[in-house]
Amino acid sequence: MLDNTDREIINELKKNSCITMRDLGKKVYLIGQATSTRVIKLEEKGIIKGYTIDVDENKIGNSVHVILNICTENPQHNSYLLFINSQENYILHNYKVSGDCCYILECKFPSNKVLDKFLIELNNYANYKLTIIIDDKIKK
């Protein structure tokens, strides 16, 4: 069970996973060593699974942001999944879902031409509905 301090640690690490244990401790009112011990326990319990970075995809040239609703006709999705795994440069998330489709795919592409090529290849494995994202209204 998590206490309030553990929750505060997690929230601070979500904001900045590169923070030092000393600075994190100041934010949650613990000494650095106690903070480090708590973080290690959260890692050992699998609550903290890893640390990552938040990349601005637009600044590295991937400005075409899309959501694809994927519907596979074949109940075996292996060929679709193999294709998706080979396209990791473009795929941000591949969610398996219930409802009208089998997967929701979030992708970023450097151009409409690259997107079109991807969609032509994708059509060999699944049908899709495409939504192009114009702007993200929640700014971090």
Side-chain angles (χ1 to χ4, degrees), residues 49-87:
K49 298 188 293 185
Y51 300 88
T52 186
I53 60 171
D54 187 12
V55 175
D56 186 333
E57 292 287 334
N58 291 330
K59 289 183 179 177
I60 63 171
N62 291 331
S63 58
V64 180
H65 193 180
V66 302
I67 300 289
L68 293 157
N69 291 323
I70 305 295
C71 300
T72 60
E73 292 181 16
N74 186 336
Q76 299 299 320
H77 301 167
N78 292 342
S79 58
Y80 162 77
L81 293 170
L82 285 172
F83 170 71
I84 292 305
N85 288 335
S86 73
Q87 302 295 312

Side-chain angles (χ1 to χ4, degrees), residues 103-114:
Y103 296 90
I104 294 177
L105 198 56
E106 182 181 8
C107 306
K108 282 222 163 179
F109 298 93
S111 68
N112 284 331
K113 186 175 183 176
V114 174

Side-chain angles (χ1 to χ4, degrees), residues 37-140:
T37 300
R38 281 181 175 253
V39 169
I40 290 168
K41 285 182 182 177
L42 291 168
E43 290 170 347
E44 289 172 347
K45 290 178 182 178
I47 294 168
I48 295 176
K49 298 188 293 185
Y51 300 88
T52 186
I53 60 171
D54 187 12
V55 175
D56 186 333
E57 292 287 334
N58 291 330
K59 289 183 179 177
I60 63 171
N62 291 331
S63 58
V64 180
H65 193 180
V66 302
I67 300 289
L68 293 157
N69 291 323
I70 305 295
C71 300
T72 60
E73 292 181 16
N74 186 336
Q76 299 299 320
H77 301 167
N78 292 342
S79 58
Y80 162 77
L81 293 170
L82 285 172
F83 170 71
I84 292 305
N85 288 335
S86 73
Q87 302 295 312
E88 65 184 17
N89 290 341
Y90 307 121
I91 297 172
L92 302 175
H93 299 283
N94 181 33
Y95 300 107
K96 186 172 184 179
V97 297
S98 63
D100 292 337
C101 58
C102 302
Y103 296 90
I104 294 177
L105 198 56
E106 182 181 8
C107 306
K108 282 222 163 179
F109 298 93
S111 68
N112 284 331
K113 186 175 183 176
V114 174
L115 167 61
D116 186 48
K117 182 177 183 255
F118 175 85
L119 294 175
I120 289 167
E121 290 182 53
L122 174 62
N123 219 16
N124 292 318
Y125 307 100
N127 295 319
Y128 62 86
K129 290 184 182 177
L130 171 68
T131 302
I132 296 178
I133 297 173
I134 304 300
D135 192 18
D136 184 354
K137 293 300 182 184
I138 297 177
K139 302 297 179 193
K140 293 180 183 179

